[in-house]
Amino acid sequence: MIHIENYIGGQLVKPGSGAYLDNFDPSTGAVYSYIPNSSSTDVDRAVSAAAGAFPDWSRRSPEHRHDAIMRLVRLIERDIDELAAAESLDNGKPVSLARSVDIPRAALNFKFY
């Protein structure tokens, strides 16, 4: 069974407490993965990592920042089927809806910013 981890400072890390919560498939009620039971310590680590990354990111040119964000857009678009399946499983909605609305909207949000 998959244990999802926090993404902090460019790395996947276990929650500081080591505790996880059951992640249920809403269509069946079965547990299909475990999600971090993150604490304020994990949040503080994430905020600290973001604050540490900000000086470098803010000095980058607008073109560099644009290119980095657009790379995320291309990855979302490339993996739309896999992401739609994951969204469907996580939320219990039809894959067709996740593929036609939710995942494209994620890409559009990055394009906006």
Side-chain angles (χ1 to χ4, degrees), residues 38-54:
S38 300
S39 67
S40 60
T41 302
D42 297 303
V43 173
D44 290 344
R45 287 177 57 204
V47 169
S48 178
F54 180 75

Side-chain angles (χ1 to χ4, degrees), residues 22-75:
D22 292 343
N23 194 13
F24 296 93
D25 175 343
S27 69
T28 65
V31 173
Y32 73 93
S33 68
Y34 301 101
I35 55 177
N37 188 6
S38 300
S39 67
S40 60
T41 302
D42 297 303
V43 173
D44 290 344
R45 287 177 57 204
V47 169
S48 178
F54 180 75
D56 180 59
W57 178 255
S58 66
R59 284 191 296 270
R60 301 290 179 140
S61 70
E63 293 81 11
H64 176 88
R65 293 191 306 254
H66 167 270
D67 291 349
I69 291 171
M70 292 310 293
R71 182 168 187 266
L72 289 172
V73 169
R74 288 190 301 276
L75 292 169

Side-chain angles (χ1 to χ4, degrees), residues 74-91:
R74 288 190 301 276
L75 292 169
I76 290 168
E77 292 171 344
R78 181 194 74 190
D79 295 338
I80 190 167
D81 291 328
E82 183 179 352
L83 293 167
E87 180 72 3
S88 173
L89 176 62
D90 194 50
N91 290 292

